Amino acid sequence: MMNRKLIKRVITCQGTIQLVTALSVLAHREREQQHLGYQYENYLVIYELYAPSEQVDEFVVLIKKMAELVSDWKAIVYISPEELKNIEIKLKTTGYSKIFKIVHELVGIDSPNEIYLCRNWQFGNKLLINTYRSAEKICYGDSIGIYFSQNSPVISPVPKISKTPLLHHVIQDKIVGLIRNIKHYLKLKTVLKDIDFNIGYFILPNILGEKPPMKVITTDKLSLLEKFHKMRCLVELEYVDYLCYKIGNAPVSVLLTSNLSEADRMSMDNEIAAYKKFLMTEKIDPDSVLVLKPHPRDSEVKIRKLENTLADLYTEVVTLSKQNLFFLPFEVFFMAAFLNSDLTFTNKLRVFAVSSACLSLSLLFNVPCVVGFGEQITSSTFYENYVGSRLQHEQDLRVAIDAIKDK
């Protein structure tokens, strides 16, 4: 019997939804390579989670638990912000070979065949893609498989500018973002190179108006659904039963928050006020219940304040604050709590979202989504230098939702 070729894969991870997406891309890739009879050896690298420091340990624990539930791993490692900072400092005085050796020792492998990343910028990503530059470099995107460039409105921080119409905001945002990126590149080019991906696997390529600058394979939603389904055991059935009992047959609004104040897009008080105004832009059904799903990078303090602020709008506010539910992708809880066996909804449902988190619910389950704060709320609550890019992102999300409906 012939020995099967061993393919060693480094899979990088910066969050729970990113992990699910990466795992679905691995499954798609394995189907493509099935006729080659490969064996696989997997290394998971968790880093740059950008969560409040007191929540990071629990975040890492759940990512590891999710990963071990779905796949076998030669190693699962977490590279802390302190370790990355130490490497960044060493880059100023240490050559490539010593830096790469440090990364090899942290990850547990010298020469993988493939490396999977959600993006090829930000320090941790650049470090890993430079360290393993001989590997095939595969992009799986952010969220459920969406390409975000460094200049995407949702990503790029923007300097303060005067109040101007939306188009002028966007143009100025892009110009200043480009200047900032050039300065950043000039600072780092002698240390970490900009390295392109060989190929990208995306479930929704171009959905937010950005064309991935690489060869693209469009994946289907079946692998993604399969991974979400396997993780349903992470949701405590007793807790789901308890929540369903509290909700009963009432209409349900779901608010998917984002880490806007934590990312310094607005103050915490303004973010809380913005969510309340956002929910009030739509008619709230009598006796309706609000399910509050925090973003994994939200602070617990903000969520508690938000819960109290919204209590007067609904008969019940249910916050998914238990550890697994706080960090677990909402899609997993949604399947357990709000889908019947025939895939119909258990309750009248409506989702309020301010980020790309709404796209998967629309794509996978055809859930009605209300997207974005809108111009009035955004202009009065976001820091002035973020208003233009924020409005552009919301516009892109609405176009994306419409495109998904037409599929």
Side-chain angles (χ1 to χ4, degrees), residues 328-395:
L328 199 67
F330 180 68
E331 293 84 351
V332 181
F333 175 80
F334 180 88
M335 295 174 75
F338 295 124
L339 277 188
N340 293 310
S341 57
D342 61 357
L343 302 184
T344 57
F345 303 147
T346 58
N347 296 69
K348 179 183 176 183
L349 274 169
R350 190 168 48 167
V351 169
F352 292 79
V354 296
S355 71
S356 58
C358 61
L359 300 181
S360 63
L361 295 174
S362 182
L363 176 71
L364 301 178
F365 311 115
N366 197 29
V367 179
C369 294
V370 182
V371 180
F373 295 111
E375 185 167 2
Q376 184 176 359
I377 297 174
T378 298
S379 299
S380 62
T381 57
F382 276 76
Y383 294 137
E384 185 180 2
N385 50 314
Y386 284 99
V387 170
S389 55
R390 176 68 211 179
L391 291 175
Q392 181 64 56
H393 180 54
E394 292 189 359
Q395 182 177 323

Side-chain angles (χ1 to χ4, degrees), residues 60-89:
V60 173
V61 166
L62 182 62
I63 291 173
K64 288 181 177 180
K65 189 182 294 186
M66 290 170 60
E68 290 167 344
L69 184 65
V70 175
S71 189
D72 295 322
W73 303 91
K74 181 73 173 178
I76 299 178
V77 299
Y78 171 59
I79 303 178
S80 70
E82 294 76 20
E83 288 172 313
L84 286 174
K85 187 64 180 176
N86 287 337
I87 292 174
E88 189 172 9
I89 292 170

Side-chain angles (χ1 to χ4, degrees), residues 304-317:
R304 294 285 79 80
K305 287 184 176 180
L306 181 60
E307 185 180 39
N308 292 334
T309 299
L310 301 179
D312 62 341
L313 298 182
Y314 295 86
T315 58
E316 188 84 45
V317 175

Side-chain angles (χ1 to χ4, degrees), residues 57-210:
D57 289 345
E58 292 181 351
F59 202 174
V60 173
V61 166
L62 182 62
I63 291 173
K64 288 181 177 180
K65 189 182 294 186
M66 290 170 60
E68 290 167 344
L69 184 65
V70 175
S71 189
D72 295 322
W73 303 91
K74 181 73 173 178
I76 299 178
V77 299
Y78 171 59
I79 303 178
S80 70
E82 294 76 20
E83 288 172 313
L84 286 174
K85 187 64 180 176
N86 287 337
I87 292 174
E88 189 172 9
I89 292 170
K90 286 181 192 246
L91 280 168
K92 299 174 183 177
T93 57
T94 307
Y96 283 131
S97 59
K98 290 184 179 178
I99 292 297
F100 294 164
K101 184 178 179 182
I102 293 172
V103 178
H104 294 162
E105 290 173 352
L106 285 172
V107 177
I109 184 171
D110 296 348
S111 302
N113 303 91
E114 301 172 349
I115 181 168
Y116 295 74
L117 304 101
C118 65
R119 58 181 70 97
N120 58 352
W121 44 274
Q122 291 178 323
F123 178 74
N125 300 299
K126 293 191 73 168
L127 176 65
L128 286 160
I129 204 170
N130 272 263
T131 300
Y132 297 121
R133 68 179 69 184
S134 64
E136 184 172 12
K137 293 162 282 292
I138 299 155
C139 180
Y140 59 81
D142 212 331
S143 185
I144 57 167
I146 300 166
Y147 176 74
F148 287 129
S149 74
Q150 193 169 359
N151 295 318
S152 167
V154 69
I155 297 293
S156 298
V158 198
K160 291 186 178 180
I161 53 178
S162 59
K163 289 187 177 180
T164 53
L166 172 59
L167 179 59
H168 290 173
H169 270 298
V170 174
I171 292 172
Q172 291 187 46
D173 288 356
K174 290 184 179 296
I175 291 173
V176 179
L178 179 61
I179 292 171
R180 178 180 44 77
N181 293 336
I182 290 171
K183 288 180 179 178
H184 182 72
Y185 172 72
L186 290 173
K187 181 181 176 183
L188 293 181
K189 72 173 183 178
T190 58
V191 181
L192 295 178
K193 300 183 186 307
D194 290 326
I195 297 178
D196 295 331
F197 284 107
N198 298 112
I199 192 168
Y201 288 79
F202 307 108
I203 196 169
L204 295 170
N206 311 331
I207 194 67
L208 292 179
E210 290 193 272

